[in-house]
Amino acid sequence: GQTGEVMQDIIEFEADRRSFIITLNSFGTGLDREDKKKLYPKCGKLGQAGLEILARAEGEENIRMAADSQSCYASLFDSSSDGFNQNNTTLEDKLYQLEAQKMMLSFLVPFNYGVFYAWLKLKEQEIRNVIWIAECIAQGQRGKIDSYIAVL
């Protein structure tokens, strides 16, 4: 039903997000291709081909190639100035922004239980935002306070 459709999209994105982050964090470590493949979730939209590209990745350009295999992730590396890819925005920030957008969209589908999961994830993002703002104030970086992920 409706819940299955909403949650499938959310869970597939979560799996792919984790795969991107695992790959990004593996750069410069002793993690080889087979070890990375064991860490990747298998239920995402990237599929075996995309995960294979990520496992062989040596840099962010390889992550871009894996993302290009699914058009839904093209905006992560789009250089247009649509407010989503601002300067000094990391891949992780872009993934959090995309996650927040997906969670907000789940509220538009009537009669599904996915909204409870989405509400929880949006609350987590609000907490990350409050921590970000508090850390900026504590470190005297008031100019960076506006670099949080907006939850509308």
Side-chain angles (χ1 to χ4, degrees), residues 4-99:
E5 292 172 16
V6 169
M7 288 304 295
Q8 180 179 0
D9 184 49
I10 290 172
I11 290 170
E12 286 174 342
F13 171 76
E14 181 68 21
D16 293 341
R17 184 180 70 82
R18 288 176 188 255
S19 298
F20 289 136
I21 297 301
I22 288 168
T23 303
L24 195 61
N25 290 337
S26 71
F27 296 153
T29 66
L31 212 56
D32 68 354
R33 188 168 107 184
E34 292 304 314
D35 290 338
K36 283 191 236 181
K37 285 171 69 173
K38 290 177 188 174
L39 294 173
Y40 293 146
K42 308 287 189 267
C43 59
K45 290 182 181 178
L46 289 176
Q48 282 301 110
L51 294 178
E52 186 63 35
I53 294 170
L54 286 178
R56 289 181 300 193
E58 297 293 329
E60 195 166 316
E61 187 59 38
N62 298 111
I63 296 176
R64 177 190 299 257
M65 287 173 44
D68 285 344
S69 71
Q70 291 295 323
S71 60
C72 58
Y73 299 125
S75 63
L76 294 175
F77 296 96
D78 186 17
S79 60
S80 66
S81 58
D82 57 359
F84 183 61
N85 297 317
Q86 299 166 350
N87 293 338
N88 300 324
T89 303
T90 65
L91 177 60
E92 191 170 6
D93 290 340
K94 293 174 187 178
L95 288 166
Y96 278 131
Q97 181 68 39
L98 188 56
E99 177 186 48

Side-chain angles (χ1 to χ4, degrees), residues 88-126:
N88 300 324
T89 303
T90 65
L91 177 60
E92 191 170 6
D93 290 340
K94 293 174 187 178
L95 288 166
Y96 278 131
Q97 181 68 39
L98 188 56
E99 177 186 48
Q101 288 174 348
K102 284 187 175 291
M103 297 305 149
M104 288 184 278
L105 287 175
S106 72
F107 286 93
L108 300 178
V109 179
F111 310 113
N112 80 85
Y113 292 106
V115 296
F116 297 108
Y117 181 79
W119 179 84
L120 181 68
K121 295 300 276 186
L122 289 171
K123 284 297 173 188
E124 287 177 359
Q125 185 58 53
E126 285 181 5

